[in-house]
């Protein structure tokens, strides 16, 4: 494409603005109205489809077929497909590990080691560990909130404080987990190693976690009675440790997840916690849970491809660079450490989506 076709500047981001208005705008509106599942009123897939339509209508200097070629080429970018593959494998691992009892064992294992006198900070630490292991903040909250609230009521503690500990610990781990969709998006989008993102995020989140533990210890109150915890099998927790340790060692995340899926199946069959076809079905169910976010990644990449073709990314980089006052020219920094705009935009979207919801 010639340079005359890449001159839309900030207008090139109109498709993304349309998407945000449709999805986020409707979600916030229905939230204020008290509707059930407010962000489901205007599904994000449909909002992204509206953004795609707007992107195709912009810039008449480019033919529709050319625009579609640019969009689909961006959708099929190898980095985007890698993200989708890892999403599916992460979902498969989560499903397989849960089916063989790993998720329940992690929860019960943590409950066994929480001192009653330090129940609130203990719940926070437990949620940190669980969410880091299973890769989902919402999954941790769904698993832990009922248990933590019942324990808090039995120990005569402030239920709201315990609930806050559950939510805080869940977000801490989700930000670090090797199988979290947002972590995968951020690492793959910026072209960094998963272990490097883990280390960086760990040192960012650790100070906040330490402060939270201290505050929960001071203001959380002292529990009484006993904590009722179910049984656990330490062997069923191994797949989570295998994934975490292997990823920190720098093993390719796709290989790590594949090994985790196999380990879950082998352990489940050996201890008798799940059958072969139950394991297979759990993998399929876990992968199905990732279909939605995979489609979103593909559609976002397609829109960003056209935004970039219209000159939007160049305009944004130029606008940001003009505000930077440094001895080193921004272009020199970019040449030394290149970024991938399409994938970076995807990871920014998912991080925004997670923090919003």
């Amino acid at each position: 494409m010639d340079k005359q076709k890449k001159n839309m500047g900030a207008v090139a981001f109109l498709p993304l603005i349309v998407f945000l208005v449709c999805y986020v705008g409707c979600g916030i509106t229905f939230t204020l109205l008290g509707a059930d599942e407010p962000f489901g009123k205007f599904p994000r897939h449909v909002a992204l489809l509206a953004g795609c339509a707007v992107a195709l209508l912009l810039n008449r200097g480019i033919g529709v077929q050319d625009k579609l070629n640019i969009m689909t080429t961006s959708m099929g970018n190898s980095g985007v497909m890698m993200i989708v593959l890892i999403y599916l494998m992460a979902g498969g691992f989560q499903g397989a590990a849960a089916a063989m009892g790993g998720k329940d064992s992690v929860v019960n294992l943590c409950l066994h080691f929480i001192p009653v006198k330090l129940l609130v900070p203990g719940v926070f630490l437990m949620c940190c560990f669980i969410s880091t292991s299973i890769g989902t903040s919402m999954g941790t909250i769904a698993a832990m909130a009922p248990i933590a609230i019942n324990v808090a009521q039995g120990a005569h503690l402030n239920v709201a404080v315990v609930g806050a500990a559950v939510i805080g610990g869940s977000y801490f781990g989700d930000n670090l987990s090797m199988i979290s969709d947002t972590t995968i998006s951020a690492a793959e989008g910026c072209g960094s190693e998963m272990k490097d993102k883990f280390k960086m995020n760990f040192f960012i989140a650790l100070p906040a976690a330490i402060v939270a533990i201290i505050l929960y210890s001071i203001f959380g109150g002292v529990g009484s009675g006993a904590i009722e915890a179910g049984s656990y099998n330490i062997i069923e927790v191994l797949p989570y440790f295998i994934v975490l340790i292997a990823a920190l060692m720098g093993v390719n995340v796709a290989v790590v997840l594949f090994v985790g899926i196999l380990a879950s199946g082998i352990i489940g069959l050996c201890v008798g916690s799940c059958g072969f076809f139950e394991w297979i079905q759990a993998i399929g169910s876990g992968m199905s849970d990732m279909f939605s976010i995979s489609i979103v990644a593909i559609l976002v990449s397609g829109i960003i491809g056209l935004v970039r073709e219209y000159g939007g990314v160049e305009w944004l980089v130029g606008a940001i660079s003009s505000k930077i006052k440094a001895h080193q020219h921004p272009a020199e920094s970019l040449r030394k450490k290149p970024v991938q705009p399409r994938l970076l935009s995807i990871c920014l979207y998912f991080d925004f989506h997670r923090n919003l919801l």
Side-chain angles (χ1 to χ4, degrees):
M1 301 294 171
D2 58 54
K3 293 184 179 180
Q4 291 183 344
K5 296 176 182 177
K6 293 185 176 183
N7 59 358
M8 299 191 68
V11 179
F13 287 95
L14 183 60
L16 291 177
I17 295 173
V18 170
F19 157 67
L20 292 174
V21 170
C22 292
Y23 179 57
V24 180
C26 287
I28 293 175
T29 300
F30 282 108
T31 298
L32 296 175
L33 293 174
D36 294 331
E37 298 183 1
F39 282 86
K41 298 297 183 181
F42 202 124
R44 55 187 175 182
H45 306 89
V46 181
L48 282 168
L49 193 62
C52 289
V54 172
L56 291 173
L57 291 174
L58 290 176
N59 202 332
R60 297 182 179 179
I62 305 176
V64 174
Q65 187 59 51
D66 291 333
K67 293 175 183 177
L68 288 172
N69 289 338
I70 294 168
M71 180 179 289
T72 52
T73 299
S74 298
M75 289 178 176
N77 177 275
S78 61
V80 177
M81 289 299 102
M82 177 58 72
I83 290 177
V84 171
L85 175 61
I86 294 175
Y87 279 162
L88 296 177
M89 295 189 71
F93 171 71
Q94 291 176 8
M100 51 79 74
K103 186 175 179 180
D104 293 335
S105 285
V106 168
V107 173
N108 292 328
L109 172 65
C110 293
L111 285 172
H112 273 86
F113 289 96
I114 295 181
V116 178
K117 294 184 178 180
L118 296 174
L119 184 60
V120 179
V123 166
F124 174 78
L125 286 173
M126 181 173 68
C127 290
C128 289
F129 174 74
I130 293 173
S131 58
T132 302
S133 300
I134 68 176
T136 166
S137 56
M138 297 308 298
T140 303
I141 293 171
M144 279 302 303
I147 298 173
I149 289 173
N150 288 335
V151 171
Q153 291 173 336
H156 307 291
L157 291 172
N158 188 314
V159 175
V161 174
V162 175
V166 170
I167 295 172
S170 299
Y171 279 119
F172 171 90
D174 185 33
N175 194 39
L176 297 174
S177 177
M178 300 295 179
I179 56 175
S180 168
D181 51 12
T182 48
T183 301
I184 293 168
S185 297
E188 292 293 326
C190 297
S192 67
E193 297 290 336
M194 293 285 283
K195 62 177 182 178
D196 294 332
K197 184 185 183 302
F198 178 90
K199 293 175 183 178
M200 179 61 68
N201 279 19
F202 180 77
F203 288 114
I204 293 173
L206 182 61
I210 293 173
V211 172
I213 292 171
I214 294 172
L215 293 176
Y216 284 135
S217 300
I218 296 173
F219 301 106
V222 178
S224 60
I227 300 175
E228 295 183 6
S231 61
Y232 68 90
N233 188 338
I234 192 65
I235 297 177
E236 294 176 347
V237 184
L238 285 179
Y240 294 117
F241 284 112
I242 290 172
V243 168
L244 179 60
I245 294 171
L248 288 175
M249 289 174 61
V251 180
N252 182 279
V253 65
V255 175
V256 168
L257 292 171
F258 182 73
V259 171
I261 292 172
L262 285 179
S264 299
I266 293 171
I267 292 173
L269 292 172
C270 290
V271 301
S273 57
C274 71
F276 176 76
F277 287 104
E278 184 181 355
W279 172 60
I280 294 295
Q281 291 172 1
I283 295 173
S285 177
M287 293 176 71
S288 296
D289 292 339
M290 291 292 187
F291 286 171
S292 175
I293 198 169
S294 297
I295 295 300
V296 167
I298 293 171
L299 290 175
V300 170
S301 182
I303 292 176
I304 294 300
L306 282 177
V307 170
R308 187 180 188 183
E309 186 64 32
Y310 296 160
V313 173
E314 293 177 2
W315 171 85
L316 182 61
V317 171
I320 294 174
S321 299
S322 65
K323 303 296 182 180
I324 298 175
K325 296 180 180 179
H327 294 294
Q328 184 183 40
H329 193 277
E332 293 294 330
S333 174
L334 289 174
R335 279 196 289 270
K336 290 182 178 179
K337 193 172 184 180
V339 297
Q340 304 176 51
R342 281 192 296 269
L343 302 182
L344 184 57
S345 300
I346 293 174
C347 86
L348 288 175
Y349 159 73
F350 284 122
D351 199 45
F352 166 78
H353 182 267
R354 179 190 63 185
N355 291 327
L356 176 70
L357 301 184

